[in-house]
Every structure is written in structure tokens, then in C-alpha cells.
Amino acid sequence: MKQGILLGFRMGVITEMADGPVLKFFDKDTYPLRPTTSADQVRIVPGGSSIRDGAYVAPGVVCMPPMFVNVGAYVDEGTMIDSHALVGSCAQIGKRVHLSAAAQIGGVLEPVGALPVIVEDEVFVGGGCGVYEGTVVRERAVLAPGTILTGATPVHDLVRGEIYRATDDLPLEIPAGAVVVPGSRHVDGERGKAWGLSLYTPVIVKYRDAGTAAAVQLEGYLR
């Protein structure tokens, strides 16, 4: 799929694409906007959102402005893509996921060799989170605002006493139901200690329970 998408960009030529009498944009003619009608039962609230052709957006998805869904992405039923959120190329988003404001889901087109991000059903992604480099977030996990997950960042699980990392063969994987918050760890070495440095690291502080579920419950009336 990635090779096909890249070929489409290579073959395309920049063309003017009008969106009304005033607003215009310019993009490769191989990737116009996805044709959407009311029959799709997707809410696209006015205000500058775009869904590229070649993306699948299921019935019941809510798109708050401005947000962007790139080519090859899959967004399943009941998900909300909040303001300033991005769903990158070929990312897989499950059912009833909440991508909060300014959440960024990485794509496969940059850098070379990038893997698709997978976010399973009923995951809550807090505001300003970033999920990149093929990270897999298992069902019902909760990412607190500001959490960044990459292939190079280890995740420390305080509950199970484990440290999760990506390997040459497997991406970083967040366990089902994990509640992940931004944290830090000391920098080893003489200078790190002398300068009092620390590095960012995500930390699993608990696993989803009734209190967590109540705190991240989605508002059904909005859907």
C-alpha cells in the first residue's frame, strides 16, 4: 500500500483544486479530496477539515475542524477526530476512539521505512499526544495529554515492572487498558548527574478501572 501511495505522489502533477469561489488549494491531482455525501453518515463540521481520497472513514465518525485524514488511513465507527488532530497515512484507528485536540497519529510516508500506527478500539488519546513510528496502542488504553510514543522511547510500566521497547522486528506496543502519562528518567553518566539532566519517558501508572472509564467516558449526545 505504501509503495502504491508513493507512486501516486510521483505520478501526480500539481493542480488547482477549488473549494468554493474564494478558498483554493493546490495539490497532486492523484490525491483529491475524498468525495463525501450525507449518505456516508460522517459528520464533517465546517471549518477547514480535509479527508484525502483513498482514506476510509466509517459511518458515525465525527470530524471537528480543522483536522486532517491522510491517504490510506482507516478510521472506524464512532471515533471522534478533534480539532487540529492528524491521522497520518495508512494509520489504523479503531472503533470509538477519541483523538483529542492536537493529537498527532504518524504516517508511513516519512521517514523511509516507517510502519503504520495502529490504535485499537476504545482508546483515549489525550490532547497534544503524538503516536509515531508504527507504535501499536492496544484496546482501551488511555494516553494522558502530552504523551509521546515513538520507536526510540522506552515505556516504563510501574504496575508490572516491565520496560517496553521497539525492536528490529517489532514496534513499540502499549498493553490493553494501560494508562500512560508523561514522565522522566535520570541521565546516567558524570555530566548527566552533574547537570541534573533527565530524559522524557512515558510511564504506565495504572490499568484502566471504573474510575478511569468514568474520567474518559465519551459524550454520546455529540454523536
Side-chain angles (χ1 to χ4, degrees):
M1 182 182 288
K2 176 179 177 178
Q3 292 300 318
I5 291 171
L6 290 172
L7 182 61
F9 279 110
R10 183 67 176 268
M11 293 173 59
V13 296
I14 296 177
T15 185
E16 180 180 304
M17 300 180 183
D19 186 13
V22 178
L23 182 62
K24 297 180 180 179
F25 59 96
F26 303 86
D27 201 358
K28 294 293 185 75
D29 61 351
T30 43
Y31 291 108
L33 290 179
R34 177 183 183 269
T36 304
T37 69
S38 59
D40 294 316
Q41 291 298 294
V42 175
R43 282 183 58 202
I44 304 177
V45 180
S49 297
S50 296
I51 302 173
R52 255 191 173 140
D53 200 18
Y56 174 77
V57 180
V61 171
V62 180
C63 302
M64 299 300 292
M67 64 91 226
F68 181 67
V69 178
N70 209 349
V71 59
Y74 184 103
V75 184
D76 216 333
E77 298 174 0
T79 286
M80 175 175 279
I81 308 172
D82 220 327
S83 301
H84 298 281
L86 164 71
V87 180
S89 52
C90 296
Q92 309 290 291
I93 308 298
K95 294 180 173 65
R96 297 175 298 281
V97 171
H98 189 106
L99 300 179
S100 299
Q104 305 287 295
I105 306 298
V108 301
L109 301 182
E110 294 285 355
V112 173
L115 297 172
V117 170
I118 298 173
V119 178
E120 293 188 342
D121 295 348
E122 299 183 350
V123 168
F124 185 91
V125 180
C129 286
V131 186
Y132 307 107
E133 297 175 349
T135 297
V136 178
V137 183
R138 295 297 182 190
E139 61 182 353
R140 304 185 76 246
V142 175
L143 308 183
T147 300
I148 307 296
L149 302 175
T150 73
T153 307
V155 177
H156 292 71
D157 189 336
L158 297 180
V159 180
R160 298 177 178 176
E162 301 283 348
I163 300 177
Y164 307 117
R165 292 183 172 90
T167 67
D168 292 339
D169 301 318
L170 296 172
L172 174 66
E173 182 173 321
I174 302 301
V179 178
V180 191
V181 304
S184 63
R185 56 191 174 93
H186 294 297
V187 175
D188 294 328
E190 182 178 342
R191 289 181 179 173
K193 293 178 180 178
W195 293 344
L197 298 179
S198 60
L199 295 174
Y200 166 78
T201 188
V203 179
I204 297 175
V205 293
K206 60 184 289 187
Y207 280 76
R208 193 163 177 164
D209 54 21
T212 310
V216 300
Q217 183 177 1
L218 303 184
E219 179 55 78
Y221 286 125
L222 292 176
R223 289 156 177 78

